[in-house]
Amino acid sequence: MSRHLARPAALAASAALLAGGWLTAAAPSAGAAPAKYSQAAAEQQLKRAGITWVSSGRCSDRKSSRCTSFEQINKSTVAGVIDFKKASRCAVTLTAGTERGHAGGTYSHWHGYKVDIKPTSCVNSYVTHRFRYIGERHGDHAKQYKSPSGNVYAREGSHWDVTYYRGTR
């Protein structure tokens, strides 16, 4: 059978399977929202990976800037933090998650794309030696480093402000 005849035949067969329920269309929609975790589910994943967190208010209320919340954090963000811990072999402590009190925008803490990581000599060394320096961030001049997977680690005064784009780009 020639290539010109095989293609329409394959499309017709696929259409028949789809119509008959034997084949399903699995293409994600372009505007699909990222999968989210509840506070408890995110805590469970982080604890299992050996990741700790601190909260100045000793709370997890998403509506309070004194708390460290993981409510509505993207599953890909949690996976990114876990991947970072595994790759770096550093102790990782989160100091912020999805709680109020951070800058807005699409890829923000509130929307589940960002966490803050406590700087340590291990974390600092891993980020600055393994990731590509991409310049200072406009506005606050935080030095930024980009991981091979496209995540951005910005060194703010008291922490690493990390944006996990994985799953969105």
Side-chain angles (χ1 to χ4, degrees):
M1 185 182 295
S2 77
R3 264 186 8 193
H4 296 292
L5 295 176
R7 185 174 229 181
L11 289 174
S14 294
L17 289 171
L18 185 60
W22 292 96
L23 181 68
T24 59
S29 69
K36 304 284 187 175
Y37 275 127
S38 67
Q39 179 73 28
E43 284 183 6
Q44 181 181 37
Q45 294 298 314
L46 294 167
K47 278 182 189 175
R48 186 178 300 147
I51 295 167
T52 60
W53 55 93
V54 295
S55 166
S56 61
R58 297 188 178 105
C59 51
S60 62
D61 180 1
R62 187 168 197 238
K63 295 176 184 157
S64 172
S65 61
R66 296 179 332 112
C67 300
T68 297
S69 175
F70 304 122
E71 187 65 37
Q72 294 298 302
I73 194 166
N74 296 341
K75 288 184 176 185
S76 57
T77 299
V78 172
V81 174
I82 293 169
D83 289 347
F84 175 77
K85 181 181 185 336
K86 286 178 183 175
S88 68
R89 296 184 175 165
C90 296
V92 173
T93 302
L94 302 179
T95 60
T98 60
E99 67 280 350
R100 286 185 194 258
H102 303 282
T106 300
Y107 298 105
S108 65
H109 283 273
W110 184 258
H111 288 123
Y113 289 93
K114 286 188 169 202
V115 294
D116 290 348
I117 296 177
K118 180 180 177 180
T120 64
S121 58
C122 183
V123 168
N124 297 347
S125 179
Y126 190 84
V127 171
T128 60
H129 290 93
R130 299 288 180 106
F131 299 160
R132 182 173 52 91
Y133 179 68
I134 59 170
E136 291 185 354
R137 187 165 60 191
H138 186 65
D140 66 356
H141 304 289
K143 291 183 178 184
Q144 299 178 104
Y145 298 83
K146 193 171 196 174
S147 73
S149 59
N151 301 317
V152 176
Y153 293 67
R155 185 60 164 93
E156 294 184 356
S158 63
H159 59 271
W160 285 97
D161 179 67
V162 186
T163 308
Y164 289 99
Y165 294 107
R166 187 167 103 187
T168 62
R169 289 190 173 187

